[in-house]
Amino acid sequence: MRYFLYIFLTIRLFANDDLELVKLAYNNGLKPVPSSFENLLTVLNTTSKELSKDKIILGKKLFFEKELSLDRDISCASCHSFDKGGADGKLTAIGHKNQKNPFHLNTPTVLNSVFSKKFFWNGRSETLKNQAKGPLQAPFEMAITKELAEQRIKEKEEYKEMFQKVYGQNISFENIVDAIAAYEKTIITRGRFDDFLAGEFDAMNKPEKEGLKLFITKGCVGCHNGIGLGGEVLRRFPLSYHRIWSMAKPLEVQELQKRYKDFLSRLDELSFKDNNSKLNYMKFALGDENTKLLKEGFFHQIEESETLQVMITSSCTKCHEKNTNHIQQDLVKKIAFPFDNIGGFLGDDATQYFKVPLLRNIVQTKPYFHNGSVEKLEDAIKIMGRHQSRTDLTDSEIDKIILFLKAVDGEMVEY
């Protein structure tokens, strides 16, 4: 808190528009990356002993150590390349013996991950140390056991002295991941956006500042806030996955839902020769345009016969209230997202709750979303606007938001 109070007190007061934008950013939870190691310790609420130079050096060596993979061919750095924004640039993570992640999950960036409060796409870990244990032991990633990891590191004479100096004891798996986590806490980037928040108003140009304002006013900041611009919470995605729900006004959605519910309630009273007759009745009851929208919306990736079967075989009020349109569970994995649902992953406990990803260096970490289904950043932003904020962003607005995100990009800080 003292660090951010200091920034406020040192901001120059003569650029009113810029000052108001900085205030708007802070009031919406945006914060700059600490510029010094002392400020970093304050922000992380840790000590120089816990994050000592010797521990960081040891952790860096282990981060690049291929002996920590079963076949001695990959390291943590293999999937978290600094040349690719701390990720790997691939659709899905590739690990031991070229195995793909079984859920087709995309590799998140390791840069600035210290500013996260949740780790993995389903947020199942809450510390970097705990997170580091996963990839090391996963059979489709580095595929090593705790015992073998300890044995491999003990075989290297250089590590014995380093561990003794840092921990005052023999090499253990717990200390291996602790050291890696310590190094990862210092893999941080700082960009012109951070300088702007610190009062250097010329650090960003006018279009970039307009992009920042759009990022705030269009609702992006509702999830992507904090120092990392994300990483702190789990959020449901997508919030509005039906094309109608995404773009229509709430009252229009409620009216269509009511009419659809009434339509379903009358089905039991009627008998139809075939699905075509049912479809014709649906057009009569809801109108051609609404029927077309329903078919092209939530059900747009299902064949027509399958669509009709799902639409008309249930009138479950509980399902309807959840906006599932009576979709059957075995179809959810197929159509849950506004892009190809490769891998069938549905987030935390299959509830479609995902860790909000960090947006620092996002321009370098394509492809996007949890399964890498979207290649272009502008398409990812358009999807997020439409399906999370009910906002149909213009091309100009998207371009400005991207310019802002480029200003967020930065070089690694040599603490």
Side-chain angles (χ1 to χ4, degrees), residues 248-277:
K249 295 178 180 178
L251 290 179
E252 295 174 341
V253 174
Q254 292 175 16
E255 176 60 25
L256 178 56
Q257 288 177 330
K258 181 178 182 300
R259 292 178 61 191
Y260 183 59
K261 182 178 178 181
D262 291 342
F263 160 74
L264 290 173
S265 67
R266 294 195 297 271
L267 284 179
D268 293 338
E269 304 170 6
L270 303 169
S271 58
F272 300 97
K273 296 178 181 178
D274 49 40
N275 279 341
N276 191 50
S277 299

Side-chain angles (χ1 to χ4, degrees), residues 43-253:
V43 169
L44 299 183
N45 191 28
T46 190
T47 66
S48 56
K49 182 178 180 180
E50 285 296 315
L51 210 56
S52 69
K53 181 178 180 179
D54 290 329
K55 184 186 285 189
I56 293 167
I57 292 172
L58 171 59
K60 181 176 182 178
K61 187 173 178 61
L62 292 167
F63 185 84
F64 288 89
E65 182 57 78
K66 293 185 177 182
E67 290 290 327
L68 287 175
S69 63
L70 184 59
D71 282 355
R72 294 182 166 95
D73 58 345
I74 54 177
S75 67
C76 301
S78 299
C79 290
H80 296 288
S81 170
F82 299 156
D83 293 331
K84 297 178 181 177
D88 57 13
K90 299 175 181 177
L91 289 175
T92 184
I94 304 295
H96 178 61
K97 295 190 181 299
N98 290 316
Q99 291 182 81
K100 291 183 178 181
N101 182 284
F103 295 103
H104 205 275
L105 294 180
N106 185 250
T107 301
T109 180
V110 71
L111 299 179
N112 307 293
S113 57
V114 66
F115 302 124
S116 295
K117 295 180 181 178
K118 302 285 185 180
F119 299 92
F120 298 109
W121 280 108
N122 60 3
R124 66 183 183 273
S125 178
E126 295 187 355
T127 67
L128 272 172
K129 178 179 177 179
N130 184 265
Q131 183 277 332
K133 296 177 181 180
L136 287 170
Q137 300 176 87
F140 49 86
E141 292 187 67
M142 296 172 75
I144 203 165
T145 64
K146 295 179 181 180
E147 296 75 17
L148 184 55
E150 292 177 359
Q151 177 186 325
R152 292 267 187 88
I153 300 302
K154 286 177 180 178
E155 288 172 355
K156 291 202 164 189
E157 199 65 34
E158 59 198 295
Y159 278 118
K160 293 180 181 179
E161 183 178 346
M162 296 179 77
F163 271 87
Q164 189 65 34
K165 187 174 183 180
V166 173
Y167 295 103
Q169 60 187 49
N170 292 331
I171 295 167
S172 70
F173 184 76
E174 286 297 315
N175 287 338
I176 289 172
V177 294
D178 182 70
I180 291 173
Y183 170 61
E184 290 177 341
K185 289 177 182 178
T186 67
I187 311 176
I188 296 170
T189 60
R190 200 172 190 278
R192 291 182 291 109
F193 165 65
D194 300 289
D195 295 331
F196 177 73
L197 288 186
E200 297 181 27
F201 298 141
D202 294 335
M204 289 172 59
N205 60 35
K206 184 178 179 182
E208 291 167 345
K209 293 172 186 176
E210 291 173 351
L212 167 58
K213 190 169 184 179
L214 285 167
F215 185 83
I216 296 170
T217 58
K218 293 298 183 178
C220 312
V221 76
C223 293
H224 295 283
N225 48 44
I227 298 178
L229 278 73
E232 297 191 348
V233 294
L234 299 183
R235 285 288 184 263
R236 184 173 174 84
F237 175 78
L239 286 174
S240 305
Y241 44 77
H242 192 306
R243 293 179 187 176
I244 302 170
W245 301 336
S246 298
M247 299 312 302
K249 295 178 180 178
L251 290 179
E252 295 174 341
V253 174

